Amino acid sequence: MSLPLSFAPALSSPSLLAPPVYAALREWPGAAEIRVAAIDPALSDTGAFCERYGVAPEESANCVVIAGRRGGETSYAACMVAATTRADVNGLVRRHMGVRKASFGPVDEVTALTGMEYGGITPIGLPGQWAVLVDADVAKLGNAVIGSGIRGSKLWLPGRLLAELPRAEVLPGLGV
């Protein structure tokens, strides 16, 4: 049995957003088109969320944080890929970041740097120097469900807005 989602304008529900997400939305013109809905935090993972709330996996996008290393320096990229795909970390992402080694960012490090909860990380409100890489198919979605910075809610927005985020780059083939 699926549960209904009740979406409201994101800026009207700051308690459903991580503080850096709310702060970023307050400054971003695209925020007027973004909605938020409360969910059971135990159902934040994409598969459980889609099943319980009746959302097609094709309408969901995941944000994976990649840590790239080169010469003792670490850089980060948030990759937005469809829930039905995986980010091409060791191919496209590594080459695009210009790093020798790319891997998923350590949970403790990523949550400390972003101010967001693991399982709810979103590309909205990330640290200013982080790259935001968006798969071309995600940018074409009419509407996408993504994290809100916390496990207890989800954002709903047109995919094109992800491509309009500060520092966003659309990469065909990011999700494989």
Side-chain angles (χ1 to χ4, degrees):
M1 173 179 114
S2 63
L3 297 174
L5 289 169
S6 179
F7 285 98
L11 286 173
S12 71
S13 303
S15 65
L16 294 178
L17 305 169
V21 176
Y22 181 69
L25 287 176
R26 288 184 58 202
E27 302 295 322
W28 189 38
E33 296 184 66
I34 301 175
R35 305 287 179 257
V36 66
I39 65 166
D40 179 342
L43 300 173
S44 180
D45 294 334
T46 304
F49 166 79
C50 287
E51 183 178 328
R52 188 67 164 157
Y53 291 97
V55 174
E58 296 80 16
E59 295 176 286
S60 295
N62 292 328
C63 182
V64 293
V65 175
I66 306 303
R69 292 172 190 79
R70 183 177 190 94
E73 296 290 319
T74 301
S75 58
Y76 296 90
C79 300
M80 290 302 302
V81 295
T84 56
T85 66
R86 296 179 341 265
D88 183 8
V89 176
N90 289 310
L92 183 60
V93 175
R94 184 183 57 75
R95 287 190 306 272
H96 188 78
M97 291 178 74
V99 296
R100 295 180 63 104
K101 181 176 171 122
S103 58
F104 294 102
V107 173
D108 293 345
E109 193 173 293
V110 170
T111 56
L113 291 171
T114 64
M116 299 181 201
E117 294 177 2
Y118 184 74
I121 294 175
T122 186
I124 300 168
L126 292 173
Q129 68 277 20
W130 288 26
V132 176
L133 309 178
V134 181
D135 183 79
D137 291 338
V138 171
K140 292 176 190 171
L141 289 174
N143 286 298
V145 176
I146 66 171
S148 64
I150 65 169
R151 292 183 64 88
S153 65
K154 293 284 186 180
L155 296 176
W156 188 59
L157 71 163
R160 68 174 167 69
L161 286 183
L162 293 169
E164 295 173 12
L165 283 168
R167 298 169 321 282
E169 296 179 66
V170 176
L171 296 179
L174 176 61
V176 292

